[in-house]
Amino acid sequence: MSSSARIERDSLGDLEVPADAYYGIHTARALTNFAVTGATIGHYPALTAALAAVKQAAAHANRDLGRLDEVRAGAIITACTEIRDGKFAEQFPVDPIQGGAGTSTNMNANEVIANRALEILGHPRGEYAALDPLAHVNLGQSTNDVYPTAVKLALVTHLRQVIAGLGRLAAAFDRKAIEFADVVKMGRTQLQDAVPMTLGQEFATYAVMLREDCDRLTEAAALLLECNLGGTAIGTGINGHPRYSALACEYLAQISGEAVVPASNLIEATQDCGVFVQVSGVLKRVAVKLSKTCNDLRLISSGPATGLGEINLPPRQAGSSIMPGKVNPVIPELVNQIAFEIIGNDLTVTMAAEAGQLQLNAFEPIIAYSLLRTTTHLRIAADTLATRCVDGITANREFLDQSVRRAPGIVTALSPYIGYAASARLAKQSLLTGESVGDIAVAEGLLTREAVEELLSPRRLAGLAVPGNPDLALPAQV
């Protein structure tokens, strides 16, 4: 044996483990068996912190129930606190995608906590006779209740970060809505001119959509706080203590600051991945709507000479290796692609949840990885879109003003006074001649100039008319 290694033993035999590693033999085997993503569970601090929180709650509960002595419990609790504070991230090298329903992740946590606790107690790493990863750190537990509980808790943390990011993006759209409140433009349906609105109204809509999504994510996060901790292998609580589930959940709520509660039926909660499907579906909803918003930004900024050209996105980098001066909408394009990834992740979660069999779903690792990646990238997308795009958008005010004045679609405002058929005729004539529909209506004696100016005022066209406002009253003479 090399001096830089120690020998550990499991039911499969002996294996060398790096002498300075806090992880042990099960983690070492997992490193050989599972090398898929290039990522590790240590790349997700919320997950390692959640695993440590579950183990810490278990130690508290087992100590209170007389199943774990004060000395070992104290060392485990200290080790868990250090992990929750961000230490030892490099000691969680297992790939998030793994066989075994998350057993390698659970054992990685057990081993790191055990070896750090041994160190605290003055023992060398690997001296498991003094404090064992399974007999003490994993006491009264199973991967099948520890892993999903930790994943849920980690996802709650991630969802709160996503909600905060979406809130910042909504605030950015709000600022632009105020800035563009007086900028009238043509609204469009089916990419055809519809009726006028303000650019401020358009941007305010994006903020409203985002805040609706924040509400839905908040609701979804609450569903994750029901856990099967204490159910052990399949939810029956074998090898556990009758009071353990309630007590461990109580401690976990205190440690995490989240309102964790035990599921009403631990057998159902152990096999049911429906909550992950629900959360993934809401995240997909957010991604779809955010991608649609980015489609809008790319469309109304298209040009600069031959597109819609209503707004200008801040230039972030050169857009072409062959076309000098070209600048592309790279930030909205980035967010679009993240949305596509999230939609794909949702399908993965759906298929993995469906593939569960009998009393356990063995595919929770890919569910966890998909959702952790989704929430991480969605939060990055929201912050990037806010700071690298929305904050720097400017409006082409004069161009928009002229576009509205010459748009045949404003004839809709005249339709109640001159009739649908006449309005359609005016719209066609405007397109053919380039004259405004207002000028044509006056020239044909259909409306007075005063009536046209009032009916086609920017505030009325944008739907800003308020009943009872004398400035927006219907014209007395048409």
Side-chain angles (χ1 to χ4, degrees):
M1 180 181 68
S2 166
S3 61
S4 62
R6 66 178 187 265
I7 294 290
E8 290 197 12
R9 180 174 292 105
D10 64 6
S11 60
L12 299 182
D14 295 347
L15 190 69
E16 285 191 358
V17 177
D20 60 351
Y22 284 90
Y23 62 78
I25 188 170
H26 196 106
T27 301
R29 293 196 190 281
L31 294 178
T32 300
N33 292 326
F34 314 126
V36 181
T37 66
T40 71
I41 59 174
H43 288 165
Y44 296 98
L47 179 58
T48 54
L51 286 162
V54 172
K55 297 297 178 180
Q56 183 175 341
H60 278 292
N62 285 320
R63 179 201 60 195
D64 291 359
L65 295 169
R67 305 189 74 198
L68 188 64
D69 64 87
E70 288 280 356
V71 174
R72 289 190 178 98
I76 291 170
I77 289 167
T78 299
C80 290
T81 301
E82 291 176 345
I83 292 169
R84 290 175 50 237
D85 287 340
K87 296 180 180 179
F88 308 112
E90 75 284 354
Q91 297 298 318
F92 291 88
V94 177
D95 196 295
I97 300 179
Q98 56 195 250
T103 297
S104 295
T105 294
N106 183 37
M107 284 301 300
N108 192 170
N110 288 333
E111 291 169 345
V112 172
I113 293 166
N115 280 304
R116 176 55 185 145
L118 284 169
E119 196 171 55
I120 291 168
L121 294 176
H123 298 279
R125 299 169 205 175
E127 195 175 285
Y128 297 139
L131 192 152
D132 189 81
L134 291 172
H136 301 114
V137 181
N138 199 63
L139 177 62
Q141 304 154 59
S142 164
T143 292
N144 302 346
D145 61 348
V146 167
Y147 183 75
T149 297
V151 168
K152 289 177 180 179
L153 201 56
L155 286 175
V156 170
T157 299
H158 274 224
L159 286 175
R160 298 207 190 289
Q161 294 169 351
V162 170
I163 290 167
L166 294 176
R168 291 187 289 270
L169 179 56
F173 278 119
D174 278 335
R175 291 190 293 271
K176 288 299 167 181
I178 294 170
E179 180 182 343
F180 301 149
D182 61 338
V183 182
V184 180
K185 59 161 285 180
M186 287 301 295
R188 294 180 181 84
T189 57
Q190 295 160 275
L191 293 180
Q192 305 299 303
D193 293 345
V195 296
M197 65 186 303
T198 68
L199 192 58
Q201 289 170 325
E202 191 165 33
F203 275 67
T205 298
Y206 300 140
V208 171
M209 290 165 59
L210 287 164
R211 291 198 170 94
E212 287 181 347
D213 288 339
C214 287
D215 289 342
R216 302 294 81 76
L217 287 173
T218 299
E219 294 166 358
L223 300 176
L224 290 165
L225 296 175
E226 181 181 275
C227 70
N228 69 329
L229 196 59
T232 65
I234 63 170
T236 61
I238 190 170
N239 293 345
H241 188 285
R243 293 173 49 207
Y244 172 82
S245 179
L247 191 57
C249 286
E250 183 179 331
Y251 273 116
L252 185 56
Q254 294 174 12
I255 293 165
S256 66
E258 301 289 354
V260 178
V261 295
S264 58
N265 186 306
L266 297 182
I267 297 176
E268 181 275 336
T270 301
Q271 65 182 269
D272 183 11
C273 288
V275 67
F276 297 127
V277 177
Q278 173 81 4
V279 170
S280 183
V282 176
L283 288 165
K284 181 179 73 170
R285 163 192 162 132
V286 178
V288 167
K289 293 168 66 179
L290 193 58
S291 188
K292 185 270 180 188
T293 296
C294 287
N295 293 343
D296 288 355
L297 294 178
R298 291 190 296 112
L299 190 58
I300 63 177
S301 67
S302 60
T306 60
L308 295 183
E310 297 182 349
I311 62 171
N312 307 299
L313 304 184
R316 291 306 176 196
Q317 59 189 75
S320 174
S321 62
I322 190 173
M323 294 173 280
K326 190 173 188 289
V327 178
N328 296 326
V330 294
I331 302 302
E333 288 173 349
L334 170 72
V335 177
N336 282 134
Q337 291 172 86
I338 291 173
F340 305 156
E341 177 196 31
I342 291 170
I343 293 166
N345 288 345
D346 177 65
L347 180 58
T348 298
V349 171
T350 301
M351 296 303 296
E354 184 274 338
Q357 297 157 327
L358 304 177
Q359 280 68 60
L360 182 68
N361 189 307
F363 308 111
E364 286 185 6
I366 190 63
I367 291 175
Y369 180 56
S370 298
L371 289 174
L372 289 170
R373 208 160 37 119
T374 282
T375 48
T376 298
H377 291 179
L378 184 55
R379 190 263 306 160
I380 293 170
D383 282 336
T384 303
L385 186 61
T387 60
R388 304 295 295 166
C389 183
V390 177
D391 283 344
I393 291 175
T394 58
N396 292 322
R397 292 172 177 262
E398 185 175 347
F399 172 77
L400 286 169
D401 180 67
Q402 293 301 317
S403 297
V404 171
R405 292 180 185 277
R406 65 173 183 265
I410 63 174
V411 77
T412 302
L414 307 182
S415 180
Y417 307 97
I418 64 175
Y420 187 94
S423 297
R425 180 173 55 79
L426 262 60
K428 291 179 180 179
Q429 188 173 342
S430 175
L431 279 172
L432 287 172
T433 65
E435 292 182 87
S436 73
V437 292
D439 287 344
I440 299 171
V442 172
E444 293 189 4
L446 298 173
L447 294 166
T448 66
R449 173 61 62 184
E450 293 76 13
V452 165
E453 289 179 356
E454 191 164 354
L455 290 170
L456 300 184
S457 70
R459 286 184 60 80
R460 184 183 297 281
L461 288 174
L464 301 177
V466 179
N469 187 331
D471 295 333
L472 300 172
L474 294 174
Q477 180 183 9
V478 297

